[in-house]
Amino acid sequence: MARAPGTQEPEIFKILTALACVIELGGFGGLGGACGAARAAPAIAQYGAPRYAPGFTHFDYVDPHAPKGGTLTLANPNRITRFDTFNPYILRGNPAPGIDLLFDTLTVGSGDEASSAYGLLADDIAVAADGLSVRFHINPAARFSNGDPVTAADVKYSFDTLMSQAAAPNYRAVWADVSRATVIDPQTVRFDFRHAGRELPLTIGALPVFSPKWGQRADGSHPPFDAIALEKPIGSGPYTIASYSGGTQIVLQRNPRYWAADLPVRRGMFNFDRIVYKLYGDPAARLEALKAGEFDASVAVLARDWVRGYTGGRFNDGRLIKRVFKHSNDAGMQGFFVNIRRPLFQDVRVRQALDLALDFPYLNRQLFYNQYSRSDSFFTNSELAAHGLPDAGELALLEPLRAQLDPAVFGPMALQPDTAPPGSLRDNLRRARTLLAAAGWTYRDGALRDRAGQPFVFEILDDSGGAFGAVVASYARNLAKLGITVNFRTTDFALYQQRLQNFDFDMTTLAWPGSQSPGNELLDNVGSAAAGIPGSGNLVGIHSPAVDALVQAVLAARTRPALVDAARALDRVLMHGYYVVPQWYSPVHRVVYRRGLAFPTTLPLYYDAAGWILSTWWEAPKAAAVSGASAVSTRPDS
């Protein structure tokens, strides 16, 4: 008899499962096995086995003896200048910075391997032999910040809430292949999948878990989830909210009773007693505040700030330290993203012409102090990036789609135009003019016009307060030589987000984050189903059965080589679609921090600098800070 979704399994199901586990062979690591808590599996890997074997004590890139204490003061980590919600899971409002530190997830990855999941809230993970479900056993020690134990029912509540219309749509896109959550017993929850996929157990393991009591009113009633705003979250993470002020400052306090502090996946981490965020009104004010010592660390985004802005007395006397940290991150894609829902951009020849008009070598030389490299892939700086001609593995995926693809996809990888000799901007613009003419655009009466006489005019939307103006000005000058008019529109972050969510833009600068093992996020970023969902990540508006098929090939890959082939094939199709005018990337993190902060000597391979500072740094003992110990060395990492 079929059971209704969400109901508990009868006792006979648990007995039969336990008996099956007695005779099943298997162990730690692989994505397989049908047993639940009876089969110990504290970690799983998408491909092969996890790096860290059972019984490991801590991740190699943390210091397990890092002291606790001190206050870390930071500025806005993004362009939000004022927050109005503590709920980061809804579409409405601007979430407070650092709010993710209040929520733990079922599993966590490590920073020195591509795709593994280690139990956090879950102390046991079991993937069904057919790959169609995964069970998580919740650690009995897990507690919410109010002291309540975390149960399987809380996990199901969190999942159902995030999959509802009350939450932001990206969760429904990312977990679209998760059909339901079922409570097996008070400590065990099972997630069923619509199809088998090696990434799905890892993806759902990233589920943040929060208490059903979050937002509950004094009379016991509960408001809609998307109406919860400044009610303090009841999460299970290492920090809680101590205080906040006016939407411009928030103080997070380390929970002295944090249940996971001594777990191997948390040992040596989250060492500051207090984390304070101060929100500044614009980047210039934030830079001056850093130089004045108002906050403790900053990750440089702009090359100009790094070379010319981070100067002054505190840098000269060593109170502020500049240091470069190498990383191996997939840099993804940063560029001018085109909204192909606009009729103006629906012809691929037009989009290719727009790409030819960007003179990156000039920008790098004149604006960026030659600190960047040109992005050339949706998986830049990664083995997943396609280069040269497609190999046999890529062709096996591309050939069945040949009728749907531009023949150029089967040739050399799309290269970004260069203006270094023997190339030139003039030659690139000539090629662009030929492409535009073939698409029906010719220069007459002082402008590039279509067959109906309408001029080629579009808007570049930006929320950087004009900081990106010099880049746009250079690009617009080149486009003007083709007869194209560009209007540069700057707006505040809230309006900018609203316009993006409603796909109300022509072109804008975006950064598509990279992943060492891309998966379900591709459904949101380039999947056809997401193209029509306001608030989705498919801002370009890609609606391509061929792209959808290659995304499914990525999701279905069972080995690392198969994943590489699928990602490269997808990369070729996306790059030959000219949906983005690629910009640039850096293989290093540029960090400024105050003397007295310390960090582990071993760096992770794949990491976000801001998150790394929050999770693994600490306040150095005063003697070490004064003596210039290696933890605060100014030597760049190579």
Side-chain angles (χ1 to χ4, degrees), residues 26 28 49 51 95 120 136-137 173 244 247 324 382 387 398 443 456 523 536:
F28 178 86
R51 172 186 174 93
L120 179 53
F136 296 97
H137 182 269
Y244 64 98
V324 172
S382 162
H387 297 287
L398 294 171
Y443 188 88
F456 198 128
L523 298 170
S536 80

Side-chain angles (χ1 to χ4, degrees), residues 255-303:
N255 186 350
R257 298 181 298 278
Y258 178 44
W259 71 276
D262 291 325
L263 291 183
V265 295
R266 286 293 190 243
R267 190 169 290 124
M269 302 176 71
F270 303 110
N271 302 309
F272 294 100
D273 282 345
R274 287 158 52 95
I275 296 175
V276 179
Y277 280 98
K278 297 179 179 179
L279 276 61
Y280 295 89
D282 57 64
R286 185 170 53 201
L287 175 59
E288 292 305 313
L290 172 67
K291 295 163 70 173
E294 293 184 13
F295 59 95
D296 299 328
S298 179
V299 180
V301 176
L302 302 178

